[in-house]
Amino acid sequence: MDFDILDSLDDLGYAGPLKSDSAVKDAIKAGPKSKEFTELIEWFSEELQSACGLDSYVNAITDPEDASSFLMEVSSLLKELHCPYKSLVSGPISQRLLDVPSRNVLLDFLCTELQAARLLQCKTKKKRTLEIEMDDSTTATSLVNVMEVLGIPKEFAEDPDSVLPEIEKKVNEKVSARPELISEPAFKASLTEKQWAELENLFGEFEADYTVRRELLITRLDVTIQSFQWGEGS
């Protein structure tokens, strides 16, 4: 079984110190009081937390006396994973993982759980579609309209990264077919970096000015409405 665990660790991308059959055997034999064994369980915990958002986390020991805390954290992790092995989740916590077979079962279970979690995560990403609701935003609505006008097939919505390149492709095709659709730009010159900075400052001044004007108009409207309300009250 050690060879199976070693192969699984390699498939899962494990890059820790347990790279040989003898190292795995020694760590399993030492069990919860071994830094190497607990670091391996910590790695599984971290990877599972990343793959499926678990709340539980197992910390490796820094001293053999930390073994009891380690076992409690392992118990919490296994409960969250709904582990079916009674020998790992029932009975006194201090009596668990006392022998090599139970530690092998733990590692085998964590290997299969991580493999399943990553597979599910991969499938979820592949099924991710560009879900655009008409009421979500004006941007989403505009994108839907563009896709309909350009005749972009719905299957492109299954891959968000391909939508914009397809829109660009369709627009270029239509412009090439009817160049008169695009008028000549009003401004053809290029600006220097200094001119862009000045233009940005000018834009900021205009924005600030119109913001003040807008707030002034809103205030006047509020005052007008309040005056009508006062008139009705009197």
Side-chain angles (χ1 to χ4, degrees):
M1 189 169 185
D2 297 330
F3 282 105
D4 293 338
I5 292 175
L6 193 61
D7 290 340
S8 296
L9 289 175
D10 186 57
D11 293 339
L12 291 168
Y14 172 73
L18 304 180
K19 284 296 188 179
S20 65
D21 179 46
S22 59
V24 172
K25 283 184 177 180
D26 290 342
I28 294 175
K29 185 177 180 180
K33 293 186 177 182
S34 161
K35 183 179 179 181
E36 290 75 18
F37 179 79
T38 58
E39 284 179 345
L40 177 58
I41 304 302
E42 181 183 41
W43 178 81
F44 274 112
S45 171
E46 184 176 350
E47 293 298 312
L48 284 166
Q49 193 176 58
S50 174
C52 49
L54 295 180
D55 293 326
S56 302
Y57 187 84
V58 179
N59 293 282
I61 66 170
T62 56
D63 187 274
E65 294 181 357
D66 298 333
S68 58
S69 298
F70 168 79
L71 290 172
M72 291 182 65
E73 291 176 350
V74 170
S75 176
S76 177
L77 174 67
L78 294 177
K79 286 182 179 179
E80 189 171 358
L81 290 172
H82 303 287
C83 177
Y85 298 103
K86 292 184 178 180
S87 61
L88 298 180
V89 295
S90 61
I93 293 179
S94 60
Q95 300 301 310
R96 302 174 193 174
L97 302 179
L98 290 178
D99 52 30
V100 170
S102 63
R103 296 163 194 166
N104 280 330
V105 171
L106 172 64
L107 290 174
D108 184 59
F109 172 71
L110 293 177
C111 281
T112 54
E113 283 296 302
L114 183 54
Q115 289 169 347
R118 286 183 176 175
L119 181 61
L120 182 61
Q121 187 181 44
C122 181
K123 287 184 177 180
T124 302
K125 287 182 179 179
K126 288 183 178 179
K127 289 182 179 179
R128 182 171 56 97
T129 59
L130 184 61
E131 298 178 353
I132 303 174
E133 298 294 339
M134 294 298 291
D135 296 333
D136 281 352
S137 66
T138 55
T139 302
T141 303
S142 299
L143 185 56
V144 170
N145 293 336
V146 168
M147 292 177 66
E148 291 178 353
V149 170
L150 295 176
I152 297 177
K154 292 182 179 180
E155 53 263 26
F156 279 93
E158 297 178 0
D159 183 9
D161 294 333
S162 67
V163 174
L164 294 180
E166 184 64 17
I167 290 176
E168 182 182 10
K169 177 183 175 183
K170 291 289 185 180
V171 170
N172 289 334
E173 289 176 356
K174 291 186 177 295
V175 171
S176 299
R178 297 186 59 187
E180 70 276 8
L181 293 175
I182 305 297
S183 60
E184 290 293 324
F187 182 76
K188 297 182 180 180
S190 59
L191 299 178
T192 64
E193 185 175 345
K194 181 180 179 181
Q195 289 173 324
W196 276 114
E198 292 176 352
L199 185 62
E200 185 176 358
N201 291 334
L202 186 61
F203 170 77
E205 292 176 3
F206 274 112
E207 184 179 30
D209 181 53
Y210 282 106
T211 298
V212 172
R213 294 187 184 188
R214 182 173 64 252
E215 292 176 351
L216 178 60
L217 289 173
I218 292 174
T219 302
R220 287 179 177 176
L221 178 61
D222 288 339
V223 171
T224 302
I225 293 174
Q226 289 176 12
S227 66
F228 281 116
Q229 292 175 340
W230 292 335
E232 292 175 357
S234 60

